[in-house]
Every structure is written in structure tokens, then in C-alpha cells.
Amino acid sequence: MKIAVVILNWNGKLLLEQFLPSVIKYSNEAIIYVADNASTDDSINYVSSIFPEVRIIKNKSNGGYAKGYNDALASIDADIYCLLNSDVEVTEGWLVPVIKTFQEADIIAAIQPKILDYKKKTHFEYAGAAGGFIDKFGYPYCRGRIFDTLEEDVEQYNDRIPIFWASGACLFIRKKIFEEVGKLDEDFFAHQEEIDLCWRIQNYGYKIMYVGTSTVYHLGGATLDTMNPKKTFLNFRNNLFLLVKNVPGNNFWILILSRLVLDGLAGLKFLVSGKFSHFIAILKAHFGFYLNFNRFVKKRKKLSKQGKYYSVFSVVWQYFILKRRYFNQL
């Protein structure tokens, strides 16, 4: 089983200096690639001179996460891709339980390890934690992380279970299935494209697994900080894209209208809190959604008749009204 660990880079020399050594040290089972999204810093010269064993792929433009990986992976010969953020520290033996899990069944298409916070290593990290799920209104959440509440890791999620989505911060996927389901949707650019990919994987009848005996530490916010209005824009716009494209059944219109109302309430909350730039970001997200609405409705034609996709009716209600902050309380 040939494993390719592929790190997407854009002007990330400092991150490569900090995190690439751990990947090289603990990834003897894999070939390591740095896929560069047309950087203008010295990151590629740095990698080629300090780490000649790392293979470099040069993309012609900065197409974001989705296009960047689609372009790079097309030229890599491997059975398993690991899409790894440049701000992730891996640990000794991290690949072994993942490889063993893939070897157990061909129906396992994708895997996510345990993702802890690099800045606070006793706790789970926002982007993925111990595996992702989604509620009926399309809000993603994780075991170990619901909205801004991060659980302490006390080995409560050292298990191995099926999940709805695996984090793009560290996503393992079979090459043949990645290509079969249509790769990453480049209209997303960045943020939540991995949820869209995982949704399609399940529509094709495959499984996504969380493997808690493999651990990585994610810095998070290295490309876009959580307080960056551009991240707010991408998250709100892409979440609406996600729903139009993937929610099964003819009643998705009602769901979309409900989400537009909920997004409006979120925008008002930003406005009252004095975060005017984030309020504007939500408005822009909705205009971006309207402009692309017909395109995503057409993408629904490829949607299979999948059953229930959510595990909680409303995580917003559970978290903000019922004050349930932890996954085992849902």
C-alpha cells in the first residue's frame, strides 16, 4: 500500500520550518510531497535545499485548498493520499493504525486521526477533533468540539468509529475513490469542501472512519484566523453550497430558507457585538450564494437517494438554548 503525505503550501516557509521535520521523522511508511500553490516567498527553495528527500509539486496558481490539491494529486502515484495541513505536527507511529484500518476493508474510503490543539496539547482542536458530524440544518460539529467549546482529551475518544466527515487538516483517502466521486469541488475554494467530499463518498456507498489511536497536533488558523472576516464569508457561503448540493429529498427548499433565517440572526449577533466586518461578510456570503445558486442546483442531479444524513436535529438549539456543551450530552 503506497502512501503519499501531501502538504499544500502557500507562502508558508515559517510553517514548513516548524512542522515539516516531524512529518519527515515519523513518516517512514510514506513518500512526502509539498504541493506549492504559486508561493512568492522562499518556501520551495528552503524545502529543496534542507529536505531534498521531499518531492515538490509546483501548481501554476493559488487555487485554494480544493484546486490546489486536485492539481497536485493528479500527478502523484499512490494508493492512499494524506492531505495534511502545513501547520500539523505528527507523532511517532501515526501512520500505522491508519494503514491497518484501510487494509481491513475496501469499503473504508477515508480516515481521520485524533486532532489535538498544538497550542494546548491536552485539548482537542477546532478543525476536526475526534471526527465530524452534521445537524439537520447543516451545522458541522465534532466529538470533542461543539462550536467554541473544546473538550480535554482524557482518552474518551481513543476508539475507532464511522463518522460523517473527516477534517481536511489531516484527511486520508483512497486515490481510486477520490477520483471516482469527483475529487474536491473547486467552487468552494477553501473551507467545508472536505465535508462535501465526505458526503459524496457516503452517497457512493463507502465509509469514513475516525481512528483515535493515531494522533496529530494542529496549530489552526495559520492560513485564515478564526476572527478573519474572509473565513466567516467562506464558512457561511460554502455551508449553503453544501446543503443545496447534498441534502436529499424535495424539501431541501424549506431547509435552505430556514438556514437563511438562522444566518440572518447570526449576522445580527455580529452587528450587536460590534463585529461589523463579520456582519458584512455574511451579507457577501449570501450574495455569493445567490449568484451561484443555479449552478449548485444543477449539481444536485448527481445526488443519490441517501437517507438520513444528520445525527442531531439542531446542534444550535442543544448548545445555545439547552446549554449542552459536550458531545456525550447531545
Side-chain angles (χ1 to χ4, degrees), residues 54-55 76 118 141 173 279 287 302 322:
V54 174
R55 302 185 186 185
I76 296 176
Y118 180 78
Y141 63 97
I173 185 168
F279 170 75
F287 280 114
K302 298 180 180 180
L322 300 182

Side-chain angles (χ1 to χ4, degrees), residues 183-227:
K183 304 182 179 181
L184 291 160
D185 189 332
E186 296 178 9
D187 285 333
F188 282 70
F189 185 78
H191 293 289
Q192 299 195 33
E193 65 280 271
E194 79 269 45
I195 303 179
D196 170 66
L197 176 64
C198 290
W199 207 324
R200 281 183 279 130
I201 287 171
Q202 291 169 101
N203 280 341
Y204 275 73
Y206 298 109
K207 287 185 177 181
I208 299 156
M209 296 291 293
Y210 163 79
V211 177
T213 51
S214 172
T215 301
V216 302
Y217 297 96
H218 184 213
L219 177 62
T223 304
L224 282 179
D225 185 81
T226 54
M227 293 309 296

Side-chain angles (χ1 to χ4, degrees), residues 158-276:
N158 278 13
D159 53 2
R160 188 178 63 168
I161 66 162
I163 55 177
F164 188 77
W165 58 270
S167 171
C170 185
L171 169 63
F172 292 86
I173 185 168
R174 293 186 192 269
K175 174 184 179 179
K176 65 178 183 179
I177 295 176
F178 180 75
E179 294 176 345
E180 179 184 351
V181 303
K183 304 182 179 181
L184 291 160
D185 189 332
E186 296 178 9
D187 285 333
F188 282 70
F189 185 78
H191 293 289
Q192 299 195 33
E193 65 280 271
E194 79 269 45
I195 303 179
D196 170 66
L197 176 64
C198 290
W199 207 324
R200 281 183 279 130
I201 287 171
Q202 291 169 101
N203 280 341
Y204 275 73
Y206 298 109
K207 287 185 177 181
I208 299 156
M209 296 291 293
Y210 163 79
V211 177
T213 51
S214 172
T215 301
V216 302
Y217 297 96
H218 184 213
L219 177 62
T223 304
L224 282 179
D225 185 81
T226 54
M227 293 309 296
N228 190 317
K230 186 174 182 180
K231 188 165 188 174
T232 299
F233 164 78
L234 288 169
N235 276 329
F236 276 82
R237 187 200 65 173
N238 290 356
N239 198 245
L240 292 170
F241 284 171
L242 183 74
L243 295 177
V244 171
K245 183 178 177 181
N246 294 294
V247 168
N250 296 322
N251 293 325
F252 84 99
W253 299 95
I254 298 174
L255 178 58
I256 296 301
L257 290 173
S258 300
R259 267 304 305 273
L260 294 177
V261 172
L262 290 170
D263 285 1
L265 293 174
L268 289 174
K269 185 175 184 295
F270 278 128
L271 189 61
V272 170
S273 302
K275 298 176 180 178
F276 186 71

Side-chain angles (χ1 to χ4, degrees), residues 32 34 46 95 121 137 139 184 194 265 297 299:
I32 302 169
V34 169
Y46 165 75
L95 292 175
K121 292 187 173 182
F137 297 94
Y139 290 103
L184 291 160
E194 79 269 45
L265 293 174
V297 168
K299 293 184 181 187

